[in-house]
Amino acid sequence: MNSEPDWLAAAQRAQQDLAGQWSQALQSFQQGALSGAPGAAGANAAVRQFSFAPDKITALQQAYVKEAAELWNQGLSGKPVASDKRFAADAWSHNPIAAFSAAVYLLNARTLLGLADAADTDARTKARLRFAVEQWMAATAPSNFLALNAEAQKKAVETKGESIAKGLQNLLADIRQGHVSMTDESAFEVGRNVATTEGAVVFENELFQLIEYKPLTKAVHERPFLVVPPCINKFYILDLQPENSLIRYLVEQGHRTFVVSWRNPDAELQKKTWDDYIEDGAIAAIDTVKDIAGAKQINALGFCVGGTILGTALAVLAARGEKPLASATFLTTLLDFDDSGILDIFIDENFVKFREMQMGQGGLLKGQELASTFSFLRPNDLVWNYVVGNYLKGETPPPFDLLYWNSDSTNLPGPMYAWYVRNTYLENNLVKPGKCTVAGEKVDLSKVDIPVYVYGSREDHIVPIAGAYASVNHLPGKKRFVMGASGHIAGVINPPAKNKRSYWTGEKLPANFDDWMKGAKEHPGSWWTDWSTWLKTHAGKQIAAPKAYGKGTKYKAIEPAPGRYVKAKA
């Protein structure tokens, strides 16, 4: 048996080794970051010169050595792991080796993230370093490996290996379908138990179907309402269930409601451009709704990329001297891409040039690639959580309509996508008057002089709240900005009946979001009621609700909602 002096000597040697290994790790991290930095060759070669702030490095080293020594002295005592839900099950704290491996992993993760933050470089490179470290740490967590996951091992013993067999079955099934299952997809069917609001397709072209919904009131507002959803997702996020459907809410509020259902592009659409989505998409939808309703003006909403499409279309129409909208609503939309959030770290000149070379003249950006990109923005929640549950524990994820929608991906035409990333995320051209030519017209958002309602979500990681707010600086009409709690989807889909979350309003609109926030007032509940009140002032008088879909023989009902375009798989 070792004596106490021997143990102390071993602990001292371990601390000395840790200090030496720290210096080696720092050098390796810096070399790896430099060689792997995006754009290290070419335009961003200056990245090669970054260093680390000495004071931060010293503090990190001291903290690391101290915590590592404490772990060493603690040994395999089996103390509970710090609050991290990946290691929260009792099996981890009851297994000393597993608890120790989790504690060491968390220490390393904190230290590596600290190193990324200590890098003396520009904000964009630092964000890329942090993102790379987060991805690596998420992938190398001990919970992701059966040999290290105490909870999965316990379940395998309790089920006599059945969980492992089921996990292999789940893995093979996911390989066949091409993506990790986030929910029991067999529990849902579009048109049967999601996207069930009653309506009919009244127009279609090669890019979209136009759905008109059945009125639920005896009278409707004279100005119909058009919804332009994002083309990178399917529209039924706005119509998941009757109780949380924004589409149904519009109908219940007495608006004659139409929705664009984008076609899921295949080889036939592989050469479609941004111009096509503006001219034959948004503008065609606006013209069709006006024609069906016999209205001089309509109201419209754009959500996410659908808002960018709608804003571009309105600028094109303004350049033609047309003003078909009485008002526009922009939900979690970027028109100004100066603050574009985490997605900005993927995009630089080299990336865009590669995409232009790869698909700028034709081709498809596959839906699974888009879906994977968005999932890896939150890797622990949207990737590894399901790897562990599905494959290591042999569990079937429960039915969840939101995650079913999230897995129902869509393709994008290559030329349209290549134009979009260059002119928005890379060069931010939409807010530069006359810089872009779309559908034969110079784009100038300052000519879109109509009332607008701009909504942003406080915790949105796809459209940062400051980026959503920036639209008010480029649209000259009367504006209202509202911020909702939660994220990109949960903030938008917040029906009043749930009485959840809150929203903020502010009458003054300074140039900077932070200044707006200082004067903003918080209100309990859903922002939908605020929007509904605002929208009624632009909706016109009440008229009798139509008794049939469409208009005469020109716009007859083609098929029941939600139509066939939305059912096409990527």
Side-chain angles (χ1 to χ4, degrees), residues 76 81 87 91-104 142 148-151 153:
L76 303 180
V81 181
F87 315 117
W92 287 93
S93 57
H94 292 165
N95 184 325
I97 295 176
F100 184 77
S101 70
V104 170
L148 299 174
N149 190 317
E151 186 181 4
Q153 293 170 6

Side-chain angles (χ1 to χ4, degrees), residues 269-332:
L269 300 185
Q270 65 173 328
K271 293 191 175 183
K272 291 298 180 182
T273 65
W274 183 260
D275 285 26
D276 293 322
Y277 272 74
I278 301 305
E279 190 75 78
D280 300 330
I283 293 177
I286 291 170
D287 289 342
T288 302
V289 171
K290 284 176 58 186
D291 196 12
I292 289 174
K296 292 181 179 180
Q297 287 187 315
I298 68 172
N299 294 301
L301 173 154
F303 177 27
C304 189
V305 179
T308 311
I309 290 173
L310 177 63
T312 307
L314 293 178
V316 169
L317 290 168
R320 295 173 181 173
E322 300 178 36
K323 194 174 181 179
L325 263 61
S327 76
T329 298
F330 295 99
L331 303 184
T332 58

Side-chain angles (χ1 to χ4, degrees), residues 12-56:
Q12 290 171 348
R13 286 195 301 273
Q15 286 183 286
Q16 293 170 355
D17 290 342
L18 283 169
Q21 291 168 6
W22 169 267
S23 298
Q24 295 176 3
L26 175 61
Q27 185 177 5
S28 298
F29 180 86
Q30 187 172 17
Q31 290 173 346
L34 292 177
S35 62
N44 295 329
V47 170
R48 294 181 181 277
Q49 303 303 318
F50 86 76
S51 59
F52 293 95
D55 56 332
K56 293 181 180 179

Side-chain angles (χ1 to χ4, degrees), residues 41 81 221 223 401 480 565:
V81 181
H221 293 284
R223 291 190 183 118
D401 52 12
R480 182 168 181 79
Y565 280 15

Side-chain angles (χ1 to χ4, degrees), residues 15 110 279 283 355 369 377 382 420 442:
Q15 286 183 286
R110 290 193 299 273
E279 190 75 78
I283 293 177
R355 288 303 200 185
E369 183 176 347
L377 297 180
L382 297 179
Y420 173 68
K442 296 289 187 181

